[in-house]
């Protein structure tokens, strides 16, 4: 789970304040809409990648709680806070809400848990970000019992990505489409060395809205795969959805390197799905 959604869920559960970047001029290490939750004891959930800024926000949250009012503060370029500077030279406007609408936060969390996109209205005026939009977390569905499949599942889970692996005899039968689901925030990757398993799985995957469908294999394998999909009635546009070779590092023959290459490629494509 990314830091923004961790902050959202923390603020939805209890009495944490929620801080949101609602204005951004220049370059900064977090996107417009980035969020952190600040607990009663000053600890942060999520990150704005600047410890000094996070400590400053914790102080502002304490003051906002005492006043019982939210506030929007400019930091960096153009800020009236002259004793605090950002090293990147950018300007940030941050909404500090000591008591966000918990019901609205829980509604967003419930929609994300239902694998639906969601949005949160922000109580700001004057051209700041008025709506924070979210997409469900990345899911990864893997097929195959190869060493590469195991490495990819392990790396994905270490990164915090849900990764389900279906193997022959456990969720897969030869010549049969899998009984699985994939939504628009799911990546499907086939990691078979025995490619006779692929046809029905790819046929299933192409019927889903999965944002990423990939399969390992060399040129000869790709030619056979194309013929299989054509025999299944798939047109050129559908066949073109299947990424092969997969990953950011071409022609690697090391299982761990291939797993890392695929995971980086999947995450990069998922990042493109995020609302601006």
């Amino acid at each position: 789970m990314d830091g923004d959604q961790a902050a959202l869920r923390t603020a939805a559960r209890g009495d944490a304040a929620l801080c949101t970047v609602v204005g951004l001029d220049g370059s900064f290490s977090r996107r417009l809409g980035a969020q952190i939750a600040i607990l009663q004891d000053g600890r942060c959930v999520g990150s704005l990648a600047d410890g000094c800024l996070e400590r400053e926000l914790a102080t502002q949250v304490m003051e906002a709680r005492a006043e019982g009012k939210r506030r929007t503060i400019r930091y960096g370029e153009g800020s009236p806070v002259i004793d605090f500077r950002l090293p990147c030279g950018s300007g940030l406007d941050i909404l500090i809400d000591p008591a966000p609408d918990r019901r609205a936060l829980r509604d967003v969390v419930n929609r994300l848990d239902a694998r639906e996109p969601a949005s949160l209205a922000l109580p700001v005026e004057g051209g700041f970000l008025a709506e924070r939009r979210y997409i469900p977390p990345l899911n990864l569905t893997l097929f195959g019992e190869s060493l590469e499949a195991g490495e990819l599942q392990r790396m994905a889970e270490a990164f915090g990505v849900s990764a389900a692996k279906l193997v022959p005899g456990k969720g897969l039968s030869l010549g049969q489409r899998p009984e699985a689901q994939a939504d628009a925030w799911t990546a499907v990757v086939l990691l078979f060395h025995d490619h006779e398993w692929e046809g029905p799985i790819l046929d299933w995957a192409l019927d889903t809205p999965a944002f990423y469908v990939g399969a390992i294999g060399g040129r000869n394998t790709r030619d056979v795969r194309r013929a299989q999909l054509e025999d299944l009635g798939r047109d050129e546009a559908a066949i073109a959805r299947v990424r092969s070779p997969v990953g950011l590092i071409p022609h690697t023959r090391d299982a761990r390197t291939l797993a890392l290459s695929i995971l980086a490629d999947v995450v990069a494509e998922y990042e493109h799905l995020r609302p601006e």
Side-chain angles (χ1 to χ4, degrees):
M1 181 190 305
D2 66 31
D4 289 356
Q5 290 201 18
L8 168 76
R9 291 170 184 273
T10 298
R13 284 195 301 268
D15 56 1
L18 187 62
C19 300
T20 307
V21 177
V22 293
L24 174 56
D25 296 323
S27 175
F28 191 63
S29 54
R30 293 291 183 269
R31 64 175 65 87
L32 183 67
Q35 294 178 309
I36 62 169
I38 299 181
L39 304 173
Q40 291 282 346
D41 61 5
R43 289 180 296 128
C44 296
V45 176
S47 173
L48 293 183
D50 186 316
C52 292
L53 176 59
E54 290 166 7
R55 288 189 290 274
E56 160 68 13
L57 291 175
T59 299
Q60 292 291 340
V61 164
M62 290 178 58
E63 295 178 3
R65 282 183 175 132
E67 293 179 2
K69 296 180 179 180
R70 67 178 68 95
R71 54 182 64 177
T72 301
I73 300 180
R74 175 80 171 186
Y75 290 103
E77 184 180 5
S79 173
V81 186
I82 61 174
D83 58 347
F84 187 88
R85 290 286 182 266
L86 295 175
C88 59
S90 60
L92 294 179
D93 299 286
I94 300 181
L95 168 65
I96 300 166
D97 195 342
D101 184 339
R102 310 289 174 189
R103 182 173 182 177
L105 298 184
R106 288 192 293 270
D107 286 345
V108 171
V109 169
N110 289 338
R111 291 198 65 180
L112 292 174
D113 287 344
R115 304 292 295 169
E116 299 174 359
S119 61
L120 176 69
L122 299 172
V124 292
E125 298 178 354
F128 294 130
L129 180 69
E131 181 184 67
R132 175 59 163 89
R133 294 186 290 163
Y134 306 83
I135 58 173
L138 166 63
N139 273 352
L140 187 57
T141 299
L142 310 177
F143 293 90
E145 55 185 350
S146 61
L147 179 59
E148 292 86 350
E151 290 287 355
L152 181 53
Q153 183 181 39
R154 181 182 63 81
M155 287 187 185
E157 291 175 346
F159 184 64
V161 171
S162 174
K165 185 173 68 170
L166 286 76
V167 301
K170 295 181 179 180
L172 286 183
S173 298
L174 187 63
Q176 301 294 316
R177 288 162 61 106
E179 294 184 3
Q181 295 182 337
D183 58 28
W185 300 276
T186 297
V188 176
V189 183
L190 282 65
L191 298 116
F192 291 101
H193 293 297
D194 185 354
H195 297 284
E196 67 176 345
W197 287 86
E198 290 187 350
I201 299 172
L202 286 174
D203 193 42
W204 161 82
L206 293 175
D207 280 338
T208 75
F211 75 91
Y212 187 109
V213 179
I216 63 172
R219 178 173 296 178
N220 291 341
T221 297
R222 295 196 294 273
D223 290 343
V224 171
R225 182 182 296 138
R226 168 178 285 275
Q228 286 181 326
L229 291 174
E230 288 174 346
D231 288 344
L232 289 168
R234 293 294 177 176
D235 61 19
E236 183 62 31
I239 294 172
R241 285 184 60 197
V242 181
R243 297 165 180 260
S244 189
V246 287
L248 298 180
I249 304 172
H251 311 306
T252 181
R253 296 185 183 276
D254 175 75
R256 294 184 67 197
T257 303
L258 177 59
L260 178 62
S261 173
I262 294 171
L263 181 59
D265 195 23
V266 166
V267 171
E269 289 300 314
Y270 175 78
E271 287 296 308
H272 291 322
L273 303 178
R274 293 187 183 274
E276 295 295 333

